[in-house]
């Protein structure tokens, strides 16, 4: 390729403007040869970037709340996130701006509002009556640390306990502090000589709102009379308190303690508890106290009309149960059920039929928030089964190592995947419906099917229905089933490469039309799958072993442009927790009979494999060890169902496999692809005696054969490895890490020349990287099958494979497929390099092709047909099915028409006119950063190039002219996960893994942004509050029912005065009244407008009272005047008026 093409690129994004493009075009082509103008319909106004929805389990959860009337669940996290869940499909994500941990959540029950308490001592009032909840008010405590909050049902006064042991009271309507304060020394008086510790519990007596129960950490509990402002009773216990719960009649309460005991107290007997229980303590003889147990972190006391009360608790296990999983204990009468959990318990709540604390609670379920899961237990059924969770919370069941996003899929795909996935569902769930069912679905404006595929560290692949901003798992494939499981440590060859997760998925290639699936795994293995609706038993799993290695001596970079440092094998962990870095296997640790050679990393199972309906193994391909060197990880993978071919490459070379005939067609080192055109003038390090000539159709290994050809050792073995110097800038290292993580995503370390720190990898651009190391990393980074012009002289398009490398080189390989479906299975596919070589700056990321009108030409594919058909039809159907049918417009094009190759690298994009191979358009995407992900996507009946850069920018360019259409700074690249999982899809969709457990979806389409409000679900729906419990005739006559309290009179400014201004600062939120008015649209819009935010009611309450008083006095005055008039004229006749 001529160098002046690269040198004449204009710097920066302005190079792609239409005027610059035309100027460039004139420079590169004589006037007579100018490219035909293509009318481009996409403009900047078609693009807008916004987040849509977040799916998955809330990462690092810390708080839980439930609205029993609205049936909405809220989860807060340690990063300040707030997730709200209603009925399946109704979810919402919000974020506190400062990112402080959420320590507690309190719903204003059936009011469409929520109070969050954060670790930075701020309280926030969220308005849930709009589709995107917003903060109405915030209150920042300046001199006290908030430890506990309590909001009584149907009250506007929030009790706030602090670390100093004081209790402040907040008006949630105006979010201001009351002057009423309960000081710790007044609460305990002389009952204790020392400070009682922080407030760990506040609740009012269910039968008397005027009595407040305050629990201090040290073990002291105080029953406070709000009216008389003094303590009625004080209860002391030797052990620290973790939680307190009332019996609904208000005569007893229960405390959980740090020694694993529960104490039950009568309100009027403060001297000692009525009963002390150690649920998991061993009862010792001679009446001695049971052995202490672990702390009971929380207890709940729930009553039923027809039977014994439930006591539900977390923790409290005995200390000798080492290794036992966390448990939730349900005590009901004389039975005690211990329910083991998979992860540690963060919090739990008992769901009850009534929101009133003074009525029989009638518990029906327990929602348990675990560190990495949400479990709902059915209390009404024997054995306490769990409910089947309808939310997509299992994304992280095994850590996600890669993902792909497909928008606008064939319509029959989702039903097909759902039908095979439905058979995988577990049994034994509760038969009841999921009880968290609040909110309403949005109106789905998007009608096209969307599928997300996630690859995981345990070798599983999950298919998700992502249509209309929802997410639901469809089907799960376990790729590890084709391998033998390691019985013991001696029989684990894979540990030489990967200590953990040898089956982890690295790359996914999927053809939605044919439903063919291909995965590349971390142990240098590739598996090809067919989709079938019928079960089959595979007696022998088809297998190929490929010996892929090439060695060079040195590199001499040609004059002119210095190629950027190419790809190296990265090291990263699929697990979020840091793990010790792995060492490179030394040859001395290999098998006793010499160097390990011709051995794959994993052993394919030899016994018959029963394959359920769904994806079934077609072929397993493995790279083998060479002279003690492990195979290098696969960096690129592509499958074509029409040609029946799969191709993959790594930093050594490329292999092309015919999966129909189960044969290796091509096995070349990256350098061999250059032929005589290698700009680096590389020479083999030593002469080879048994060297095969490089050329077409060479393969080192076919099925079942052993090749004796001695390929040389990897250049990395035996040579001293340059490490990065300690004074390298961390920023540069991080950028390099990100670049590598985009290509290779997995938890292994295959090369010794990488400096492994913090479970990651770094690479230096400094001179310490020798030319040999630089070359050895020229990996295959992009592959694309297409039907196009391979050479300048071609007059018609033909099947070919385009190969991109990390040094910015693009090779074209021609594919000569046998004519007719009958011959396809009998004759070999002829593969030969075409000699066409193109060059760009930076590693090649993506390639695509446009026809003469600028329309995208998808690779040829075949329609799906059931592979396991009855015997008599089998042969005809299979042959018919194999016919390479191209769905691209090129097959019907006239010979004279041109095509355009779109090539995107880390630094620039080029549009090459074919067959002339002239550079029609060129755009420098970034100078200082690099592109992590580039995709050619369809949007609004047109095509564009979408890029995500390491500097956090998302950019789109028109095609074919590469005009910049969008350039928005979206997010900084803070971790490898984003770099590894970011992907664009058609129709303006994109996603990435925002945390180890959550997928963040976004859109860059203006149309989707405009329709998003309608598509989002409603959290708040108008529901009548249940009637309060009936006090009964005798209770009403003699007292004993619930005592109400005029809190306004006690806590209002008129009686308690104003709080000190320095105690807390009020901050108005962004979601004020106007925001509520604007957002009060949709199904309950009129109601939301009629019942505006709580804030508005608070602000207008004073005006309303004044007006009411004025109206009353006016009415009174009118009544007096009317009475006087009546008396005056009472005895007069009508004619006397």
């Amino acid at each position: 390729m001529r160098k002046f093409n690269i040198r004449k690129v204009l710097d920066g994004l302005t190079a792609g403007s239409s005027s610059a493009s035309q100027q460039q075009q004139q420079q590169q082509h004589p006037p007579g040869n100018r490219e035909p103008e293509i009318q481009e319909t996409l403009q900047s106004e078609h693009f807008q970037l916004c987040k849509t929805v977040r799916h998955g389990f809330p990462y690092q959860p810390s708080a839980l709340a439930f609205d029993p009337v609205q049936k909405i669940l809220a989860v807060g996290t340690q990063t300040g996130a707030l997730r709200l869940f209603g009925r399946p499909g109704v979810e919402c994500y919000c974020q506190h701006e400062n990112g402080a941990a959420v320590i507690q959540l309190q719903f204003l029950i059936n009011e469409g509002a929520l109070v969050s308490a954060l670790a930075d001592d701020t309280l926030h009032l969220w308005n849930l009556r709009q589709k995107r909840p917003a903060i109405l008010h915030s209150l920042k405590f300046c001199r006290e640390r908030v430890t506990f909050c309590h909001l009584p049902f149907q009250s506007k006064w929030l009790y706030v306990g602090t670390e100093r042991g004081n209790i402040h009271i907040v008006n949630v309507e105006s979010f201001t502090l009351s002057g009423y304060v309960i000081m710790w020394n007044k609460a305990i008086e002389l009952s204790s000589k020392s400070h009682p510790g922080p407030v760990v519990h506040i609740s009012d007596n269910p039968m008397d709102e005027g009595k407040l129960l305050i629990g201090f950490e040290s073990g002291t509990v105080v029953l406070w009379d709000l009216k008389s402002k003094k303590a009625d009773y004080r209860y002391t216990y030797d052990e620290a308190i973790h939680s307190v719960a009332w019996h609904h009649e208000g005569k007893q309460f229960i405390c959980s303690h740090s020694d694993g005991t529960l104490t039950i107290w009568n309100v009027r007997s403060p001297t000692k508890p009525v009963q002390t229980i150690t649920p998991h303590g061993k009862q010792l003889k001679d009446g001695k106290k049971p052995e202490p147990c672990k702390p009971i972190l929380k207890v709940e006391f729930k009553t039923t009309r027809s039977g014994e009360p439930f006591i539900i608790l977390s923790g409290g296990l005995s200390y000798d149960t080492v290794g036992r999983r966390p448990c939730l204990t349900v005590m009901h009468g004389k039975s005690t059920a211990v329910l083991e959990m998979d992860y540690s318990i963060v919090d739990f709540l008992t769901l009850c039929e009534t929101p009133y604390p003074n009525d029989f609670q009638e518990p029906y379920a327990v929602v348990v928030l675990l560190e990495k899961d949400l479990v709902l237990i059915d209390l009404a059924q024997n054995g306490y089964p769990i409910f089947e969770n309808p939310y997509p919370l299992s994304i992280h069941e095994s850590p996600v190592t890669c993902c792909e996003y497909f928008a606008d899929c064939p319509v029959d795909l989702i039903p097909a995947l759902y039908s095979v996935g439905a058979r995988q569902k577990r049994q034994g769930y509760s038969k009841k419906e999921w009880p968290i069912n609040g909110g309403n679905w949005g109106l789905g404006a998007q009608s096209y099917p969307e599928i997300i595929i996630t690859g995981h560290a345990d070798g599983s692949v999950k298919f998700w229905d992502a249509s209309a901003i929802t997410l639901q798992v469809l089907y799960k494939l376990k790729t590890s089933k084709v391998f033998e499981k390691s019985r013991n440590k001696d029989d684990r060859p894979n540990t030489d490469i990967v200590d953990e997760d040898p089956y982890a998925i690295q790359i996914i290639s999927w053809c939605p039309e044919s439903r063919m699936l291909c995965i590349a795994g971390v142990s240098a293995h590739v598996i090809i799958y067919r989709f079938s609706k019928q079960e089959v038993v595979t007696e022998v799993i088809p297998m190929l072993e490929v010996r892929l290695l090439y060695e060079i001596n040195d590199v001499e970079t040609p004059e002119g442009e210095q190629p950027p440092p190419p790809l190296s094998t990265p090291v990263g962990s699929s697990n979020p927790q840091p793990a010790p870095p792995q060492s490179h296997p030394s040859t001395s640790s290999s098998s006793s009979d010499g160097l390990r050679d011709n051995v794959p990393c994993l052993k394919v199972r030899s016994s018959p494999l029963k394959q359920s309906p769904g994806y079934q193994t077609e072929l397993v391909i493995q790279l083998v060890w060479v002279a003690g060197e492990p195979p290098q990880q696969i960096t690129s993978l592509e499958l074509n169902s029409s040609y029946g071919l799969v191709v993959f490459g790594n930093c050594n070379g490329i292999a092309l496999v015919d999966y129909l005939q189960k044969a290796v067609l091509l096995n070349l080192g990256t350098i061999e692809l250059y032929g005589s055109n290698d700009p680096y003038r590389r020479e083999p390090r030593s002469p080879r005696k048994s060297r095969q000539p490089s050329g077409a159709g060479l393969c080192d290994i076919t099925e079942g054969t052993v090749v004796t050809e001695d390929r040389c050792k990897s250049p990395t073995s035996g040579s001293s490895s340059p490490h990065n110097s300690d004074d390298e800038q961390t920023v540069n290292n991080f950028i390099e890490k990100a670049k590598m993580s985009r290509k290779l995503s997995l938890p292994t370390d295959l090369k010794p020349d990488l400096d492994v720190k913090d479970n990651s990898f770094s690479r230096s651009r400094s001179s310490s990287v020798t030319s040999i190391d630089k070359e050895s990393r020229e990996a295959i980074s992009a592959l694309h099958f297409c039907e196009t012009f391979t050479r300048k002289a071609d007059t018609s398009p033909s099947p070919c494979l385009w190969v991109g490398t990390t040094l910015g080189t693009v090779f074209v390989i021609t594919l000569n497929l046998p004519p007719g479906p009958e011959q396809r299975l009998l004759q070999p596919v002829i593969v030969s390099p075409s000699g066409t070589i193109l060059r760009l700056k930076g590693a090649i990321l993506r390639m695509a092709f446009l026809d003469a009108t600028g329309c995208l030409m998808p690779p040829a594919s075949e329609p799906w047909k059931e592979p396991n058909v009855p015997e008599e039809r089998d042969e005809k159907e299979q042959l018919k099915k194999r016919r390479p049918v191209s769905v691209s417009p090129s097959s019907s094009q006239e010979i004279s028409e041109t095509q355009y190759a779109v090539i995107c690298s880390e630094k620039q994009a080029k549009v090459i006119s074919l067959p002339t191979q002239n550079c029609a358009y060129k755009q420098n995407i970034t100078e200082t950063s690099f592109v992590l992900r580039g995709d050619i996507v369809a949007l609004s009946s047109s095509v564009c190039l979408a890029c995500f850069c390491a500097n956090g920018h998302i950019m789109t360019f028109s095609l074919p002219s590469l005009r910049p259409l969008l350039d928005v700074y979206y997010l900084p690249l803070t971790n490898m996960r984003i770099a590894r999982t970011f992907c664009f899809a058609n129709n303006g969709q994109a996603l990435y893994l925002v945390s180890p457990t959550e997928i963040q979806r976004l859109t860059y389409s203006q149309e989707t942004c405009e329709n998003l409000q309608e598509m989002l679900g409603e959290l708040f729906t108008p529901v009548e509050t249940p009637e309060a419990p009936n006090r009964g005739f005798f209770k009403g006559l003699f007292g004993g029912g619930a005592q109400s309290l005029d809190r306004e009179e006690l806590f209002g400014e008129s009686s308690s005065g104003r709080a000190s201004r320095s105690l807390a600062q009020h901050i108005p939120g962004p979601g004020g009244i106007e925001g509520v008015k604007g957002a009060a649209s949709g199904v309950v819009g009129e109601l939301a407008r009629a019942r505006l935010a709580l804030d508005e009611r608070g602000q207008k309450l004073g005006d309303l009272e004044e007006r009411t008083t004025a109206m009353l006095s006016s009415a009174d005055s009118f009544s007096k005047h009317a009475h006087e008039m009546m008396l005056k004229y009472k005895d007069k006749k009508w004619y006397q008026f």
Side-chain angles (χ1 to χ4, degrees):
M1 181 126 184
R2 291 171 298 176
K3 289 175 201 143
F4 73 85
N5 281 352
I6 294 167
R7 287 181 175 170
K8 285 185 181 177
V9 179
L10 296 171
D11 290 340
L13 291 172
T14 53
S17 64
S18 53
S19 60
S21 297
Q22 288 165 10
Q23 185 182 351
Q24 208 170 305
Q25 198 174 323
Q26 288 167 8
Q27 287 174 352
Q28 290 176 340
H29 308 295
N33 266 346
R34 193 175 295 177
E35 297 297 330
E37 285 291 326
I38 292 174
Q39 191 66 38
E40 294 178 357
T41 56
L42 284 179
Q43 302 298 329
S44 294
E45 54 265 26
H46 291 113
F47 293 88
Q48 183 184 341
L49 194 70
C50 69
K51 293 180 181 178
T52 51
V53 284
R54 185 174 289 200
H55 302 298
F57 181 77
Y59 183 55
Q60 294 179 326
S62 56
L64 184 66
F66 182 67
D67 186 326
V69 180
Q70 285 289 319
K71 301 286 175 70
I72 297 285
L73 187 77
V75 176
T77 75
Q78 292 177 30
T79 55
L82 190 59
R83 292 285 294 279
L84 297 143
F85 298 92
R87 66 181 60 202
V90 177
E91 284 183 42
C92 183
Y93 159 75
C94 320
Q95 178 70 46
H96 293 90
E97 279 185 16
N98 56 7
V102 179
I103 56 171
Q104 204 178 347
L105 295 170
Q106 289 267 309
F107 273 102
L108 277 68
I109 293 171
N110 205 26
E111 291 284 1
L114 174 78
V115 173
S116 58
L118 270 57
D120 66 349
D121 311 309
T122 53
L123 303 177
H124 303 275
L125 179 66
W126 289 85
N127 173 25
L128 308 182
R129 292 180 180 234
Q130 54 198 69
K131 289 190 171 184
R132 288 191 177 246
I135 292 175
L136 289 169
H137 293 290
S138 298
L139 192 66
K140 167 78 174 168
F141 280 80
C142 304
R143 298 186 310 198
E144 298 247 32
R145 304 297 312 270
V146 174
T147 55
F148 194 87
C149 299
H150 170 64
L151 181 68
F153 179 45
Q154 293 181 325
S155 164
K156 70 173 185 178
W157 298 98
L158 174 75
Y159 301 108
V160 181
T162 69
E163 197 172 53
R164 288 185 185 175
N166 304 324
I167 293 176
H168 301 278
I169 298 162
V170 177
N171 181 334
V172 292
E173 289 182 341
S174 61
F175 237 56
T176 53
L177 273 178
S178 162
Y180 192 113
V181 183
I182 304 172
M183 302 301 286
W184 68 270
N185 51 357
K186 192 91 186 287
I188 67 161
E189 284 188 341
L190 301 176
S191 64
S192 171
K193 293 178 182 177
S194 57
H195 190 280
V199 175
V200 294
H201 179 83
I202 310 169
S203 60
D204 46 340
N205 187 319
M207 286 296 181
D208 189 350
E209 294 173 349
K211 309 289 187 187
L212 198 66
L213 195 70
I214 306 161
F216 296 98
E217 191 181 63
S218 64
T220 301
V221 178
V222 174
L223 188 67
W224 182 264
D225 188 315
L226 290 164
K227 284 183 183 174
S228 64
K229 300 184 181 180
K230 65 179 185 182
D232 280 357
Y233 300 102
R234 296 182 182 90
Y235 316 83
T236 53
Y237 192 71
D238 294 341
E239 296 293 334
I241 289 177
H242 284 276
S243 72
V244 185
W246 280 101
H247 186 282
H248 86 273
E249 290 177 347
K251 294 174 182 176
Q252 282 189 336
F253 61 88
I254 187 169
C255 301
S256 73
H257 298 278
S258 56
D259 65 343
T261 58
L262 297 172
T263 54
I264 299 176
W265 301 78
N266 276 345
V267 169
R268 297 178 184 275
S269 306
T271 50
K272 65 172 188 176
V274 180
Q275 192 179 358
T276 303
I277 310 165
T278 311
H280 296 285
K282 291 178 181 173
Q283 296 299 326
L284 302 174
K285 293 176 182 177
D286 307 326
K288 290 181 182 176
K289 280 179 71 176
E291 290 180 1
C293 295
K294 294 175 184 175
I296 295 175
L297 300 176
K298 186 173 183 180
V299 65
E300 294 209 336
F301 199 4
K302 301 297 179 185
T303 52
T304 58
R305 278 180 210 282
S306 54
E308 298 279 348
F310 282 88
I311 296 176
I312 301 162
L313 56 111
S314 64
L317 295 177
S318 62
Y319 281 103
D320 58 4
T321 52
V322 180
R324 189 168 178 182
R325 294 192 292 181
C327 294
L328 186 84
T329 307
V330 180
M331 301 168 70
H332 185 221
K334 291 181 180 177
S335 73
T336 300
V338 181
L339 309 175
E340 287 197 343
M341 302 291 157
D342 290 334
Y343 307 100
S344 56
I345 297 171
V346 175
D347 198 0
F348 73 89
L349 287 173
T350 310
L351 309 189
C352 301
E353 296 289 354
T354 177
Y356 292 94
N358 58 356
D359 194 8
F360 284 98
Q361 298 298 286
E362 302 296 345
Y364 59 89
V366 182
V367 56
V368 189
L369 178 64
L370 305 175
E371 203 173 38
K372 293 183 180 178
D373 203 0
L374 184 75
V375 177
L376 204 58
I377 297 160
D378 186 351
L379 290 179
Q381 285 188 42
N382 289 335
Y384 305 130
I386 63 168
F387 288 86
E388 185 176 8
N389 198 323
Y391 304 134
L393 302 182
S394 61
I395 291 169
H396 63 288
E397 188 177 17
S398 171
V400 176
T401 50
C402 64
C403 63
E404 294 295 336
Y405 189 6
F406 300 86
D408 211 4
C409 300
V411 289
D412 57 345
L413 255 181
I414 289 175
L417 287 165
Y418 182 82
S419 66
V420 294
R423 307 178 194 201
Q424 299 177 327
K425 293 205 171 169
R426 282 174 48 193
Q427 303 299 315
Y429 288 115
S430 167
K431 295 178 174 59
K432 293 183 181 175
E433 285 193 9
W434 184 256
I436 302 165
N437 55 12
N440 280 321
W441 292 304
L443 306 169
Q446 293 176 347
S447 55
Y448 51 86
E450 298 173 71
I451 290 176
I452 294 170
I453 307 179
T454 53
H456 300 264
D458 65 352
S460 59
V461 176
K462 287 184 183 176
F463 292 77
W464 304 82
D465 176 6
S467 310
I469 69 171
T470 60
L471 194 71
Q472 181 185 6
V473 70
L474 291 170
Y475 171 72
K476 179 180 175 181
L477 167 68
K478 293 180 180 176
T479 65
S480 59
K481 280 186 175 178
V482 300
F483 299 109
E484 296 279 5
K485 294 287 185 290
S486 312
R487 297 274 190 281
N488 53 50
K489 287 190 176 179
D490 299 331
D491 186 29
R492 290 182 66 187
N494 51 29
T495 54
D496 283 347
I497 295 190
V498 192
D499 276 342
E500 295 176 4
D501 306 324
Y503 312 113
I505 307 297
Q506 217 166 355
I507 310 172
I508 296 167
S509 177
W510 188 50
C511 174
E513 285 74 22
S514 66
R515 303 184 191 172
M516 290 295 295
L517 173 71
C518 187
I519 65 98
V522 72
S523 297
H525 63 280
V526 172
I527 311 176
I528 301 161
Y529 290 92
R530 270 188 199 284
F531 185 84
S532 172
K533 292 184 177 178
Q534 297 177 16
E535 185 178 287
V536 294
V537 176
T538 307
E539 295 295 331
V540 179
I541 297 168
M543 183 182 73
L544 284 177
E545 291 180 356
V546 178
R547 188 180 174 92
L548 188 59
L549 194 85
Y550 190 76
E551 186 187 27
I552 45 73
N553 192 9
D554 211 338
V555 185
E556 294 178 34
T557 305
E559 290 178 15
E561 189 175 290
Q562 177 78 12
L567 177 66
S568 71
T569 309
V571 184
S573 173
S574 56
N575 300 319
Q577 295 84 10
Q582 294 164 175
S583 60
H584 186 270
S586 62
T587 51
S588 60
S589 65
S590 298
S591 52
S592 56
D593 57 348
L595 300 177
R596 175 173 293 168
D597 198 49
N598 274 340
V599 181
C601 300
L602 301 172
K603 189 178 178 185
V604 175
R605 65 184 285 166
S606 51
S607 54
L609 176 65
K610 180 182 172 184
Q611 306 204 67
S612 305
Y615 275 101
Q616 298 170 352
T617 309
E618 172 88 354
L619 177 64
V620 178
I621 308 163
Q622 293 195 86
L623 296 183
V624 295
W625 284 66
V626 178
E629 278 298 313
Q632 301 292 298
Q633 287 186 4
I634 291 161
T635 56
S636 192
L637 173 74
E638 191 68 25
L639 173 138
N640 187 285
S641 58
S642 178
Y643 304 157
L645 303 176
V646 67
V647 61
F648 56 92
N650 63 11
C651 60
N652 283 333
I654 185 172
L656 181 64
V657 172
D658 180 344
Y659 65 78
L660 301 179
Q661 294 189 24
K662 313 286 190 287
V664 180
L665 302 175
L666 182 75
N667 179 6
L668 287 178
T670 315
I671 302 107
E672 291 178 291
L673 287 168
Y674 283 95
S676 59
N677 298 320
D678 185 4
Y680 298 101
R681 299 193 288 279
R682 289 167 278 211
E683 296 297 331
R685 188 175 291 172
S686 55
R688 298 201 173 142
K689 293 176 182 175
S690 58
R691 173 99 176 92
Q692 288 187 357
S694 45
L698 289 182
C699 56
D700 287 335
I701 259 181
T702 52
E703 191 173 4
T705 65
V706 177
V707 169
T708 56
E709 176 199 301
D710 179 27
R711 290 275 208 172
C712 294
K713 281 166 56 175
S714 160
T716 57
S717 68
S719 62
S720 61
S721 310
H723 281 254
N724 293 326
S725 56
D726 292 336
D727 56 351
E728 280 293 328
Q729 291 183 6
T730 18
V731 178
N732 287 342
N733 283 344
F734 184 77
I735 284 175
E736 294 306 326
K737 292 182 208 172
K739 189 187 291 189
M740 296 310 96
S741 186
R742 172 69 266 174
K743 321 286 193 312
L744 281 175
S745 46
L746 280 154
T748 49
D749 174 10
L750 298 188
K751 291 178 89 64
D753 59 339
L754 298 177
D755 187 15
V756 183
K757 290 178 185 173
D758 296 331
N759 207 20
S760 185
F761 58 90
S762 54
R763 179 165 61 97
S764 167
R765 287 180 185 269
S766 70
S767 57
S768 66
V769 179
T770 63
S771 56
I772 237 180
D773 294 321
K774 191 181 288 184
E775 188 287 327
S776 69
R777 298 183 194 140
E778 180 171 15
I780 307 298
S781 57
L783 297 161
H784 190 84
F785 286 104
C786 55
E787 198 163 316
T788 187
F789 304 94
T790 55
R791 299 178 184 89
K792 289 183 180 180
D794 283 0
T795 54
S796 62
S798 59
C800 58
L801 168 67
W802 285 51
V803 181
T805 77
T806 52
L807 283 188
T809 307
V810 177
F811 304 100
V812 182
I813 294 172
T814 57
L815 309 172
N816 195 343
L817 299 164
E822 294 83 6
Q823 298 298 315
R824 176 65 185 87
L825 297 176
L826 303 173
Q827 293 185 19
V829 177
I830 307 299
V831 181
S832 58
S834 67
T836 298
I837 298 179
L838 308 169
R839 284 194 58 77
L840 275 77
K841 277 199 297 186
I844 307 298
L845 298 179
R846 191 76 61 207
M847 296 176 281
F849 292 83
L850 309 178
D851 63 15
T853 63
C855 295
L856 188 65
M857 302 192 311
S861 61
E862 62 173 17
W864 176 80
K865 287 182 182 173
E866 174 58 60
N868 302 317
V869 290
E871 283 296 319
E872 62 270 14
R873 292 188 297 151
D874 185 45
E875 205 168 318
K876 285 183 185 175
E877 289 287 335
Q878 291 280 27
L879 289 173
K880 209 182 288 179
K881 186 159 79 80
R882 304 283 185 223
R883 188 178 297 122
V885 178
S886 173
V887 297
S888 68
S890 63
S891 55
S892 60
Q893 285 178 345
E894 293 181 18
I895 290 171
S896 61
E897 287 199 348
T898 59
Q899 291 181 4
Y900 296 96
V902 182
I903 307 171
C904 176
S905 80
E906 287 178 336
K907 291 287 185 181
Q908 64 178 187
K910 282 187 181 180
V911 174
I912 310 289
S913 176
L914 299 174
T916 62
Q917 294 180 16
N918 291 327
C919 179
Y921 303 98
K922 182 161 51 177
Q923 175 66 269
N924 271 6
I925 299 170
T926 175
E927 290 291 339
T928 56
S929 184
F930 57 92
V931 179
L932 281 165
R933 177 79 183 211
D935 286 295
I936 291 92
V937 289
L939 177 69
S940 304
S941 306
S942 191
V943 190
C944 68
L945 167 65
C947 299
F948 172 55
C949 284
N951 59 13
H953 284 252
I954 288 177
M955 297 183 274
T956 61
F957 301 91
S958 68
L959 288 175
S961 71
L962 295 174
R963 281 181 299 113
L965 298 171
L966 175 78
D967 184 355
V968 177
Y969 176 72
Y970 174 66
L971 85 165
L973 185 63
T974 50
N975 56 50
M976 297 301 101
R977 193 185 315 105
I978 298 171
R980 192 171 64 227
T981 56
F982 199 103
C983 47
F984 296 97
N986 291 336
N987 298 336
Q989 305 294 337
L991 66 77
Y992 61 96
L993 217 68
V994 69
S995 75
T997 62
E998 295 165 291
I999 286 175
Q1000 176 67 57
R1001 289 167 69 179
L1002 54 145
T1003 182
Y1004 49 96
S1005 157
Q1006 168 70 29
E1007 186 185 359
T1008 308
C1009 287
E1010 287 175 356
N1011 295 331
L1012 186 60
Q1013 191 68 19
E1014 284 190 11
M1015 294 167 67
L1016 293 171
E1018 300 264 6
L1019 279 170
F1020 179 80
T1021 50
V1023 180
E1024 284 292 322
T1025 302
E1027 283 188 19
N1030 192 348
R1031 288 174 67 185
F1033 174 73
F1034 288 106
K1035 280 191 177 178
L1037 191 63
F1038 301 111
Q1043 302 293 314
S1044 61
L1045 172 76
D1046 188 350
R1047 293 190 180 94
E1048 185 70 44
E1049 187 184 323
L1050 266 179
F1051 306 143
E1053 199 175 306
S1054 56
S1055 57
S1056 65
R1058 288 191 177 187
S1060 167
R1061 286 191 178 183
S1062 62
L1063 185 61
Q1065 178 192 358
H1066 176 261
I1067 306 161
I1073 296 165
E1074 293 308 313
V1076 179
K1077 284 177 179 169
S1081 57
V1083 185
V1084 293
E1086 290 305 318
L1087 183 89
R1089 273 192 285 271
R1091 297 181 62 195
L1092 266 180
L1094 299 167
D1095 180 46
E1096 188 169 17
R1097 296 194 318 179
Q1099 288 175 11
K1100 295 184 177 177
L1101 196 60
D1103 296 346
L1104 190 61
E1105 283 179 2
E1106 285 172 17
R1107 278 188 223 142
T1108 309
T1109 311
M1111 284 173 68
L1112 279 170
S1113 62
S1114 171
D1116 192 45
S1117 149
F1118 179 80
S1119 167
K1120 283 178 185 173
H1121 285 303
H1123 189 65
E1124 286 168 13
M1125 290 285 287
M1126 185 266 293
L1127 291 173
K1128 186 177 179 181
Y1129 295 111
K1130 185 172 68 168
D1131 298 327
K1132 292 190 178 182
K1133 305 292 183 193
W1134 63 272
Y1135 51 82
Q1136 292 176 317
F1137 289 140

